[in-house]
Amino acid sequence: MPLTLGSNIASLKTIRTLDSSQRALGAVFERLSSGQRINRASDDAAGLAIASTLDAGAKIFSQGVRNINDGISLLNTADAALEQITQIVTRLSELAEQAANGSLGSSQRQALDAEAQELAEEYFRISKSTKFNGLGLLDDSFDQIRFQGGLGVDGGILSSLGGALADGTFQSSATFDAATTNALEVEGVDLNGDGNIDLITGGNGALVTVAFGNGDGTFAEAATIDIGTGQVRGLQIGDLDDDGDIDFVGFTANGEVSVYTNDGSGTFTQTQSFTNSIQDGRELALADLNGDGALDVISIGQASTPIGGIHINFGNGDGTFDQVTSVAITDASANRFVSIAVGDLNGDGALDFALGGIDGSSQSYIAAYEGDGDGGFVQTLTGSLPASGELVGLTITDLTGDGQNDLFFALGGQGGVYYAPNEGAGSFIHFGVLDSSNSNATLSLAYEDVNGDGIEDIIQSDDAGQIVTYLGDGEGGFAIYNTLVGLSGDANDLALVDADNDGVLDILAAESTGSGDVGVYTGHSVSGVNPLFEFSLESRSGALAALSQFEHKLDQLTTQRGEIGAFQSRLSSATRILKSSTENYRAAESRIRDADIATEAAALVRLQILSQASTAVLAQANQQPQIALQLLSGDSRGE
């Protein structure tokens, strides 16, 4: 290497080497101080990308574990609420069992029923108020729930909280041949004590058909009973002889009242038949009108002359009635009565009744009679409405939620639903329209809670084979919600029962034209807990019917708790795999991103030695120009 003054090549080379050592030493210091091998993209671009993906995955899995734990807490809350309402239903079953005992009187059963009704209210309150983060767990806040425990859709765990909560919609599921060309009346009740809803229908030829339910919404015909002559216009069920079994009373067009008692297996024997002076029999009702504990019968229609006729026969409590009409009332303003409703109109605790029909000018007609509790009645409301056609589907119930019973009804030949609000003490002055969306002629009305919100709704059938549901708001407002078309003929009568034992109401619809079948429409449900159906423990038959309902409800609640328990077990497994995945992702990221301290420490020592050596050599290299100067200095002295 030449000796020069202009460029100190050795020094430059040493500086380069020292600079490289210093940079490498700085990188080692950074890795040792941060503990990471990759501190910036330039350290290892591919490794940084992989490590960042693994870090994001580990964080997602960690959040997934927290999500699953929140889900387990939600399920624990739901299960605790279900446990409480299960205990309520268990207590209700005890009360029903006690009320079904033949050694109790009416006052004892009334006390049992009072406790049972309060428990039913608490059952409903718990089911509606159980919430988690503002989400109702047992109401209709959600049908399904997804707990996100990983990446994407596949990382979510989808399930439901089980149970069945009615949503107010129905679907056609079966038809039953009522063995008559016209099914005019239909009722659903357990007739043979097996816990399943059975079917009893009435129609042409004075035929009453009994069909036993299979518990799944289908029925098998058991017997057809000829109760007289003419059409069966009225069919009512109740325990007429106080033996706990459901009996029935049929009413034909010629005014014949036929009484049949049940032996407990669904086999009926006629105990009485008598004819009231009604030329055109239309409808009847069963109720204890005189407070003696026995059901009485009210039959209505058109009397021998064209006036409205009302006959009340008081029951003897043994499956028979006073054959001589105990109370006979005629209303000269009415041409005939076609619908009847029994209830307390004036809030005095005694049963009253309201009638709907038509007057001599073919105008809709309404009347009301207030009872004194001993079987006596006084007419308090009478009047024609400014509409043509029979007043049908009359019902007494509290539409507005003010604690007073109102009237609602339909006008034959017209669509829509109408009402008369209770102005106080059974006074009805104003009439209004609840809904007029359906223009078809109404044939029947029912009033039940079909969507599980604790507010009763209106179900309407018409001459187009339609069944229309109107959801109530609890303040007297109703809005059309669902229209079901299924029958080939007129939908003449409705009954709402739980025919398939799923905990929500189904519709039985009698077809008065066409095939004459009974259509079965099952209620659709979402996850949740449906309110208990109305029940009464004030009679032995009511207690036995309630006992079957509570038994089915306990089975449903137990199944629902089992579904929640299975979901909790699944979530526990998901938590374990998420924790394992988080650990593995962290380990993989660590192997890529984290520094090997032992290796870096060795590199630190090596680089420190190289740096020190480079520094020493640089000092020597910087002395080389001095040698050249010395040479120059020596030549000058020599001259």
Side-chain angles (χ1 to χ4, degrees):
M1 180 182 291
L3 185 63
T4 63
L5 284 173
S7 298
N8 190 346
I9 303 303
S11 175
L12 293 176
K13 289 182 177 181
T14 304
I15 290 171
R16 177 175 58 79
T17 302
L18 178 60
D19 182 60
S20 177
S21 297
Q22 289 295 322
R23 285 198 306 271
L25 187 61
V28 170
F29 280 138
E30 187 176 26
R31 287 193 288 268
L32 288 173
S33 62
S34 66
Q36 295 184 339
R37 184 181 67 85
I38 303 174
N39 291 284
R40 57 182 60 84
S42 60
D43 294 339
D44 184 351
L48 178 63
I50 297 172
S52 296
T53 300
L54 292 171
D55 176 58
K59 290 179 178 179
I60 289 173
F61 289 144
S62 295
Q63 182 59 51
V65 171
R66 292 191 289 273
N67 290 348
I68 297 300
N69 287 334
D70 287 343
I72 292 175
S73 298
L74 182 150
L75 295 179
N76 287 339
T77 303
D79 183 59
L82 287 174
E83 181 182 10
Q84 291 302 313
I85 63 176
T86 300
Q87 292 178 4
I88 288 176
V89 177
T90 300
R91 176 56 181 163
L92 287 172
S93 299
E94 293 181 57
L95 294 172
E97 178 72 14
Q98 187 176 0
N101 192 6
S103 65
L104 299 182
S106 59
S107 60
Q108 288 82 17
R109 288 196 177 103
Q110 287 174 2
L112 294 174
D113 185 66
E115 179 183 349
Q117 299 302 332
E118 289 296 326
L119 288 174
E121 290 292 330
E122 182 62 13
Y123 174 101
F124 179 73
R125 188 195 67 81
I126 292 174
S127 67
K128 293 302 179 185
S129 63
T130 301
K131 298 181 183 297
F132 188 88
N133 286 337
L135 293 174
L137 302 183
L138 305 180
D139 61 12
D140 59 351
S141 293
F142 52 82
D143 187 19
Q144 293 182 320
I145 186 169
R146 180 185 295 274
F147 298 127
Q148 194 65 31
L151 298 169
V153 175
D154 292 336
I157 303 174
L158 180 66
S159 187
S160 72
L161 297 182
L165 174 63
D167 67 359
T169 61
F170 299 86
Q171 60 184 3
S172 177
S173 64
T175 57
F176 174 76
D177 185 356
T180 177
T181 56
N182 298 88
L184 300 174
E185 299 287 329
V186 61
E187 296 286 349
V189 67
D190 182 9
L191 297 173
N192 58 357
D194 64 352
N196 297 324
I197 293 295
D198 306 312
L199 190 66
I200 181 168
T201 63
N204 279 359
L207 295 179
V208 171
T209 302
V210 177
F212 294 143
N214 299 315
D216 59 358
T218 62
F219 301 88
E221 184 173 339
T224 300
I225 305 169
D226 188 347
I227 68 170
T229 58
Q231 292 180 328
V232 178
R233 292 281 186 81
L235 182 66
Q236 290 294 320
I237 55 176
D239 185 7
L240 303 176
D241 53 4
D242 197 31
D243 63 352
D245 303 318
I246 298 298
D247 314 307
F248 77 84
V249 179
F251 186 45
T252 62
N254 62 2
E256 185 178 1
V257 179
S258 297
V259 184
Y260 285 78
T261 56
N262 184 359
D263 66 357
S265 65
T267 300
F268 293 87
T269 302
Q270 187 179 56
T271 59
Q272 192 179 24
S273 178
F274 57 89
T275 301
N276 288 326
S277 58
I278 291 181
Q279 178 182 353
D280 184 11
R282 287 305 188 101
E283 186 59 274
L284 58 77
L286 286 175
D288 181 9
L289 301 174
N290 57 358
D292 64 352
L295 291 175
D296 311 310
V297 62
I298 312 175
S299 53
I300 62 171
Q302 179 176 289
S304 56
T305 56
I307 59 174
I310 310 162
H311 292 264
I312 300 175
N313 298 84
F314 293 121
N316 300 313
D318 59 357
T320 64
F321 298 88
D322 290 341
Q323 293 189 33
V324 178
T325 302
S326 303
V327 179
I329 306 171
T330 57
D331 187 338
S333 299
N335 178 275
R336 62 180 175 268
F337 291 118
V338 299
S339 61
I340 181 172
V342 180
D344 184 4
L345 293 173
N346 56 3
D348 63 353
L351 287 179
D352 315 306
F353 64 86
L355 303 173
I358 191 170
D359 67 11
S361 302
S362 298
Q363 295 292 105
S364 300
Y365 187 82
I366 191 169
Y369 290 81
E370 292 184 0
D372 59 10
D374 293 323
F377 294 89
V378 176
Q379 188 175 33
T380 58
L381 171 66
T382 179
S384 299
L385 276 65
S388 60
E390 297 175 342
L391 190 149
V392 300
L394 189 62
T395 304
I396 296 175
T397 191
D398 182 7
L399 288 172
T400 59
D402 62 356
Q404 298 187 103
N405 282 329
D406 312 301
L407 302 174
F408 80 91
F409 49 86
L411 305 180
Q414 301 186 35
V417 182
Y418 302 81
Y419 74 106
N422 195 331
E423 308 290 342
S427 174
F428 301 90
I429 301 173
H430 302 96
F431 296 90
V433 181
L434 287 176
D435 189 275
S436 59
S437 304
N438 184 11
S439 60
N440 297 313
T442 302
L443 298 179
S444 180
L445 290 174
Y447 192 63
E448 297 284 352
D449 175 16
V450 297
N451 64 340
D453 63 354
I455 300 171
E456 291 181 310
D457 313 300
I458 295 175
I459 306 90
Q460 174 193 41
S461 65
D462 61 33
D463 62 353
Q466 293 186 147
I467 299 172
V468 185
T469 54
Y470 300 84
L471 298 186
D473 60 10
E475 298 178 353
F478 293 84
I480 192 169
Y481 178 67
N482 183 53
T483 300
L484 182 66
V485 181
L487 295 175
S488 60
D490 295 351
N492 194 74
D493 193 29
L494 298 173
L496 274 80
V497 292
D498 184 10
D500 55 3
N501 293 325
D502 65 349
V504 300
L505 289 174
D506 311 308
I507 296 176
L508 306 178
E511 187 179 49
S512 60
T513 58
S515 61
D517 293 336
V518 174
V520 181
Y521 302 89
T522 54
H524 184 262
S525 63
V526 296
S527 296
V529 174
N530 210 55
L532 294 170
F533 303 138
E534 290 186 6
F535 65 89
S536 174
L537 305 186
E538 294 187 356
S539 66
R540 186 162 178 249
S541 60
L544 290 172
L547 194 58
S548 295
Q549 180 193 161
F550 300 150
E551 181 181 0
H552 289 310
K553 181 59 70 174
L554 282 174
D555 289 341
Q556 293 159 10
L557 291 173
T558 300
T559 300
Q560 186 174 4
R561 292 191 69 187
E563 291 180 19
I564 289 179
F567 196 13
Q568 287 174 313
S569 178
R570 180 183 177 186
L571 292 181
S572 296
S573 297
T575 301
R576 289 192 292 270
I577 190 62
L578 284 172
K579 289 181 177 179
S580 176
S581 297
T582 301
E583 178 183 345
N584 291 329
Y585 268 56
R586 286 299 183 196
E589 182 202 6
S590 175
R591 283 189 285 270
I592 296 172
R593 189 191 296 270
D594 291 348
D596 184 345
I597 301 303
T599 300
E600 298 300 332
L604 174 64
V605 173
R606 183 177 67 82
L607 290 171
Q608 283 179 332
I609 293 173
L610 287 175
S611 180
Q612 291 172 3
S614 295
T615 301
V617 170
L618 179 59
Q620 295 296 322
N622 287 336
Q623 296 297 319
Q624 285 185 343
Q626 295 294 333
I627 297 172
L629 289 176
Q630 288 177 2
L631 290 174
L632 291 175
S633 176
D635 291 343
S636 176
R637 286 192 299 271
E639 292 177 354

